[in-house]
Amino acid sequence: MAKAKKDNDWNLAPAPESTGHVKIDKKYDLFIGGKFVPPTAKKYFETVNPATEKILSQVAEAGQKDVDKAVKAARKAYDTVWSKMPPVERSKYIFRIARLIQERAREFAIIESIDGGKPIRESRDVDVPLAAAHFFYHAGWADKLNYAFPNAEVSSLGVVGQIIPWNFPLLMAAWKIAPALACGNTVVLKPAETTPLTALKLAELFMDAGLPDGVVNIITGAGSTGQALVEHSDIDKIAFTGSTQVGKMIKRSLAGKSTRLTLELGGKAANIIFEDSAIDQAVEGVVNGIYFNQGHVCCAGSRLFVEESISSEFIRKLKHRMDHLILGDPLDKNTDIGAINSEGQLNTIQSYLEAGEKDGFEMYQSNVAVPKKGFWCRPTLFTHVSQSSVISKEEIFGPVLAMQTFRTIDEVIDKANNTPYGLSAGVWTDKGSKIFNLTTKLKAGVVWANTFNKFDPTSPFGGYKESGFGREGGLHGLSAYLKITG
Amino acid sequence: MTKVDFNSLDIRRKAVDQVGVEERCARFKSRSIKKDAKIQGLKMALNMIDLTTLEGKDTEGKVRQLCHKASHLHYSYDGLPTVAAVCVYPSFVKLAKSLVSNKGIKVASVATAFPSGQSFLKYKIAETEEAVQEGADEIDMVISRGKFHQGEYSYVFDEIASVKEACGKARLKVILETGELGNLDAVYYASQIAIEAGADFIKTSTGKIKPAATMPVSLVMLEAIRDHYFRTGKMVGMKPAGGISNAKLALHYLIMVKETLGEAWLNNQWFRFGASSLANDLLKQLVKQESGMYQSANYFALD
């Protein structure tokens, strides 16, 4: 771009969200049977602010005995209270939860940003409102399940174990808990070990909502806690969102059992840009597709396919847009790109950057300064990568975009589907017929047209192939928490 | 000047997605502009105003008052910039010029049968030439929207090129009157035509039609300017006009310019606000930043 004269510099002053009213305890216990109880082994682990590397709190690590306690509490609540309660009463509790989330929206948004590193703009405008929306939506269904599945008998499953990832901690808790409760099940939920705080705050909120003891139990811990939950003999269903690798382990350990399972796993979405698209809006969609939440999004548009005739124009515009993304303090209202969730994830991302460079692809990173403390990765673009490279095959789960060019529609469909994943895809064109042609041929659970990363509780979400099975949201999402007969 | 044949130009209608444009604009509006950045932005916006009076009842008295305000925005606040220009009808150019030219303020004159543009080309050219002779530094012309809707794009193009020629050294702002164009695809195409025909600025509106300037329309025009810059390396200015009456919105426009074109456009050589009441709200906010309190509207001159 044209060089600005010196006196034209106009930099935004810091605009941090105030945190005075937010309370994070020094220590959190396990939420079992309606109250916080210390873990049997008295073991705790730290949760860290990834933007400052400061320790936020000590969180209980649930062992096998604790998991058992939680499952027993959930079973008791199921047998004695929740399955017997008239559905309209269940619905009232869920509505109350939704309203309380709205009332405390700011508090939840701030804690989500502190614990996970995501920009406050996203936690405030996306995570928390959507979490509330999921409770509202499912509250409405609780007493209308027979109408959702006409001419069929529906009944609850029992106790469900739910394991959620660190990229959308509160939102994923809502995606899991809301339909489970609406359908009359009780829950044992395990949040991710790097981001447990909003789930624990949600436990406090359940107490305030007067939710009967044991209906939702929240146990914190790492992989072994999750494994204990999956392998517990009194669980009727496991719902897991996370990596494909762990998903495969879960499926293996449930083989031969009657435990139901839904998996929402990784992705490597194709975002396809045609020559006739609205290019400037497509650039914006590509940016939202891959740099939203630092690319920690299972449905992130991490593979960009651009029709070769417009590739140089597109790349120039994309780089220009990347240069205007503000990276830094997640609590600043102007931040576009926050911190990478953990040191471990940063190392993973960095190893992919090295792999891309080693393969000889041109790497572009936006020209922003990176804070000294904390875990950060500049928005990154690899241009003209090949389909056979590691960075275009494996899920990076970071702000890293791998661009390829294409010539024909058939070619781009083949390449887009040439992946073990199939969670989402994006199509950008001004021509409606092209959109319908592609949506029927792309093997992806969600295909967005002229937009990306749009979510709504009424719309089912889930994957093909190694992106998992089962749907969350909408009627399909309800059916995953019900026995449907007749 | 050799005539350029419109049909020989490499311009094509480009798709614009309204939903995407509106989402992008919402992002600009979510930027939080505080403290020093706010004060700097408010002063910058003041210095970008084309202080305007375009009424049938305009008189010498009215123009005199306007011209005084252009360089004395507030009676007690020190260190304020002047506005960029005063914008008047051609018959007041001479008077305005005599009042503001020694203050570093430009005189802009509307021309070409403003606001409808429904007249003959020879009169439009004559009006432009006369306004320039009277001392206008800038000419704000309107495009022939009727011809545009009739698909006579080369007429629209040739007309702008002719007026540009008539401008001589005066800078030409081309008003698209986006409120009459109907959709964003048309706004982009009209922007391209105006730029290729020699516009120094492209401008949204006359202020006589609603909607006047909106953020989505302005963003599409800024993108046309950017596309031209990417292709040719030449800068074109932008002037949203009408409907921007509060400081917050003006600051968000500046954010939009910064993030779409870059800081090189953040001065009155390349960006203007066509407005009459915006100045007072900018002043009100500046005084509030200094004193911590909002002053009543009575402390800001109504000119």
Side-chain angles (χ1 to χ4, degrees):
Chain A
M1 260 356 245
K3 282 265 180 303
K5 282 184 274 173
K6 200 69 202 140
D7 57 3
N8 280 349
D9 281 359
W10 188 39
N11 295 312
L12 296 179
E17 184 77 43
S18 63
T19 56
H21 62 296
V22 169
K23 192 173 137 279
I24 298 174
D25 292 344
K26 286 213 170 75
K27 199 171 89 172
Y28 282 96
D29 288 324
L30 305 168
F31 184 66
I32 296 173
K35 54 184 182 290
F36 283 96
V37 294
T40 320
K42 307 273 180 267
K43 280 214 301 205
Y44 291 83
F45 63 93
E46 291 164 350
T47 183
V48 174
N49 179 340
T52 61
E53 300 179 46
K54 281 199 183 117
I55 295 166
L56 292 167
S57 183
Q58 303 285 333
V59 179
E61 185 181 328
Q64 206 151 6
K65 280 185 188 155
D66 304 305
V67 172
D68 188 50
K69 241 196 268 181
V71 175
K72 282 198 171 113
R75 178 61 64 190
K76 188 175 158 207
Y78 179 76
D79 288 340
T80 60
V81 185
W82 201 245
S83 67
K84 298 220 162 77
M85 187 183 280
V88 69
E89 296 301 315
R90 283 203 313 258
S91 153
K92 287 181 194 168
Y93 283 108
I94 306 169
F95 271 123
R96 196 180 295 163
I97 292 165
R99 283 197 207 97
L100 284 170
I101 291 174
Q102 285 185 322
E103 277 172 25
R104 297 190 199 165
R106 241 164 73 86
E107 182 189 2
F108 273 101
I110 289 166
I111 295 175
E112 199 74 313
S113 284
I114 291 177
D115 201 19
K118 67 174 66 203
I120 187 78
R121 185 181 61 77
E122 291 176 7
S123 46
R124 179 195 66 201
D125 296 347
V126 181
D127 295 60
V128 177
L130 263 181
H134 270 267
F135 280 104
F136 274 118
Y137 173 75
H138 287 99
W141 272 128
D143 61 344
K144 304 174 194 73
L145 295 170
N146 287 320
Y147 300 94
F149 304 98
N151 305 319
E153 285 291 314
V154 297
S155 56
S156 54
L157 299 174
V159 176
V160 295
Q162 306 179 320
I163 301 169
I164 56 171
W166 45 260
N167 56 345
F168 295 94
L170 178 70
L171 181 58
M172 289 301 111
W175 276 32
K176 293 277 183 288
I177 294 172
L181 296 189
C183 293
N185 307 287
T186 57
V187 169
V188 179
L189 175 98
K190 188 197 88 69
E193 66 270 27
T194 62
T195 56
L197 292 184
T198 42
L200 292 161
K201 280 277 161 191
L202 193 59
E204 293 176 4
L205 185 147
F206 290 150
M207 291 165 86
D208 294 343
L211 190 69
D213 294 350
V215 170
V216 178
N217 305 274
I218 295 174
I219 51 167
T220 41
S224 60
T225 309
Q227 193 183 352
L229 182 60
V230 168
E231 289 172 356
H232 196 283
S233 57
D234 198 28
I235 295 274
D236 297 297
K237 177 201 161 82
I238 291 287
F240 172 77
T241 297
S243 71
T244 293
Q245 186 199 351
V246 175
K248 285 179 178 175
M249 283 161 54
I250 291 174
K251 195 168 179 191
R252 235 173 265 134
S253 74
L254 291 183
K257 289 189 189 175
S258 62
T259 317
R260 290 198 184 199
L261 176 65
T262 46
L263 297 174
E264 200 266 89
L265 308 175
K268 191 78 182 174
N271 214 351
I272 303 167
I273 319 293
F274 287 100
E275 185 191 51
D276 61 6
S277 64
I279 291 177
D280 290 294
Q281 287 74 58
V283 167
E284 195 59 26
V286 167
V287 166
N288 288 335
I290 185 63
Y291 303 126
F292 174 61
N293 200 28
Q294 295 74 246
H296 303 327
V297 183
C298 42
C299 54
S302 50
R303 288 185 300 152
L304 172 63
F305 290 94
V306 180
E307 193 160 352
E308 201 153 325
S309 55
I310 53 162
S311 66
S312 55
E313 180 190 359
F314 198 89
I315 291 167
R316 182 163 187 188
K317 287 186 166 180
L318 182 55
K319 287 178 178 174
H320 179 258
R321 178 70 184 97
M322 286 166 70
D323 285 339
H324 285 90
L325 292 169
I326 300 173
L327 179 145
D329 180 7
L331 286 178
D332 192 302
K333 289 173 218 158
N334 289 321
T335 293
D336 297 311
I337 311 284
I340 298 300
N341 188 271
S342 66
E343 191 173 14
Q345 186 57 28
L346 181 59
N347 292 337
T348 305
I349 295 167
Q350 238 128 30
S351 71
Y352 280 110
L353 298 186
E354 283 158 23
E357 286 203 292
K358 214 172 138 197
D359 270 345
F361 302 127
E362 191 194 316
M363 181 173 85
Y364 182 78
Q365 293 193 302
S366 72
N367 57 355
V368 283
V370 163
K372 287 201 178 68
K373 273 259 170 201
F375 316 126
W376 307 93
C377 180
R378 291 186 180 91
T380 305
L381 166 70
F382 281 100
T383 45
H384 303 295
V385 305
S386 72
Q387 180 79 356
S388 61
S389 62
V390 175
I391 55 168
S392 68
K393 274 277 169 266
E394 293 183 7
E395 183 178 40
I396 299 173
F397 225 59
V400 184
L401 180 60
M403 194 208 102
Q404 308 179 44
T405 57
F406 69 92
R407 294 153 298 173
T408 67
I409 293 178
D410 290 341
E411 177 191 5
V412 77
I413 291 171
D414 286 345
K415 280 188 173 165
N417 286 336
N418 180 213
T419 165
Y421 295 108
L423 192 53
S424 67
V427 181
W428 298 81
T429 167
D430 206 31
K431 203 167 183 182
S433 58
K434 229 184 243 178
I435 293 172
F436 287 112
N437 181 26
L438 263 80
T439 48
T440 52
K441 289 177 183 155
L442 290 170
K443 298 270 179 298
V446 183
V447 183
W448 285 291
N450 294 327
T451 188
F452 209 91
N453 275 343
K454 284 275 180 297
F455 305 98
D456 191 281
T458 61
S459 171
F461 181 91
Y464 274 67
K465 298 187 278 188
E466 289 187 27
S467 289
F469 49 83
R471 294 291 179 265
E472 293 182 292
L475 291 182
H476 303 72
L478 282 178
S479 67
Y481 286 96
L482 289 170
K483 260 183 255 163
I484 303 173
T485 50
Chain B
M1 211 172 111
T2 50
K3 282 244 173 192
V4 179
D5 178 11
F6 175 71
N7 295 312
S8 72
L9 293 170
D10 178 28
I11 59 173
R12 60 205 148 109
R13 297 196 79 136
K14 188 183 96 158
V16 179
D17 185 75
Q18 186 173 341
V19 175
V21 169
E22 282 167 5
E23 277 181 13
R24 183 73 185 104
C25 291
R27 276 289 281 276
F28 296 130
K29 285 185 157 179
S30 75
R31 288 283 189 230
S32 176
I33 306 148
K34 303 270 184 225
K35 297 181 182 135
D36 293 352
K38 184 168 185 180
I39 293 172
Q40 191 190 342
L42 292 168
K43 288 187 177 169
M44 207 154 58
L46 272 179
N47 190 231
M48 289 167 168
I49 289 178
D50 281 4
L51 201 62
T52 302
T53 184
L54 293 170
E55 292 175 355
K57 64 178 192 284
D58 281 349
T59 57
E60 285 187 16
K62 167 74 187 175
V63 172
R64 273 178 203 284
Q65 291 219 323
L66 184 86
C67 289
H68 187 79
K69 179 156 184 182
S71 58
H72 305 80
L73 284 165
H74 191 259
Y75 66 98
S76 68
Y77 192 108
D78 288 332
L80 282 179
T82 66
V83 298
V86 291
C87 182
V88 294
Y89 272 117
S91 46
F92 296 105
V93 167
K94 199 171 202 170
L95 173 64
K97 184 78 177 175
S98 71
L99 295 169
V100 299
S101 63
N102 60 345
K103 307 275 189 348
I105 297 169
K106 305 271 194 254
V107 175
S109 169
V110 296
T112 72
F114 179 95
S116 74
Q118 297 284 17
S119 184
F120 303 101
L121 179 58
K122 62 177 179 181
Y123 299 129
K124 294 185 183 181
I125 290 172
E127 191 185 16
T128 304
E129 282 170 348
E130 189 133 358
V132 173
Q133 268 167 26
E134 294 275 296
D137 304 292
E138 302 170 353
I139 296 294
D140 289 27
M141 74 169 286
V142 291
I143 66 165
S144 293
R145 283 88 75 194
K147 298 284 186 192
F148 185 87
H149 284 302
Q150 281 169 219
E152 293 175 40
Y153 306 117
S154 63
Y155 180 94
V156 177
F157 176 87
D158 292 341
E159 189 177 63
I160 298 167
S162 305
V163 174
K164 168 71 182 172
E165 206 175 339
C167 279
K169 283 188 180 152
R171 294 179 88 198
L172 176 65
K173 306 194 195 100
V174 178
I175 303 171
L176 309 180
E177 195 64 301
T178 52
E180 290 188 340
L181 295 184
N183 63 61
L184 295 178
D185 296 42
V187 169
Y188 184 87
Y189 195 51
S191 303
Q192 262 192 319
I193 292 171
I195 291 169
E196 293 292 338
D200 296 297
F201 271 83
I202 51 177
K203 175 175 169 184
T204 59
S205 324
T206 59
K208 306 294 182 195
I209 295 288
K210 285 204 159 94
T214 64
M215 280 188 94
V217 153
S218 302
L219 176 58
V220 171
M221 292 169 69
L222 292 171
E223 284 169 352
I225 292 170
R226 178 173 66 189
D227 288 349
H228 182 73
Y229 179 78
F230 278 170
R231 266 200 313 275
T232 65
K234 288 186 189 130
M235 291 168 76
V236 172
M238 169 72 188
K239 178 178 171 185
I244 305 163
S245 56
N246 73 68
K248 194 172 185 182
L249 183 58
L251 291 176
H252 285 140
Y253 268 83
L254 296 183
I255 290 284
M256 176 162 72
V257 174
K258 175 182 153 97
E259 296 192 11
T260 309
L261 294 174
E263 287 171 328
W265 268 263
L266 284 182
N267 56 62
N268 65 21
Q269 196 190 346
W270 300 111
F271 191 78
R272 297 283 176 84
F273 289 110
S276 43
S277 58
L278 172 62
N280 275 4
D281 197 51
L282 291 166
L283 292 167
K284 197 184 266 184
Q285 301 298 331
L286 272 172
V287 173
K288 194 249 175 184
Q289 289 294 310
E290 200 172 61
S291 70
M293 281 171 278
Y294 279 113
Q295 312 288 310
S296 114
N298 293 333
Y299 287 93
F300 304 93
L302 284 174
D303 276 317

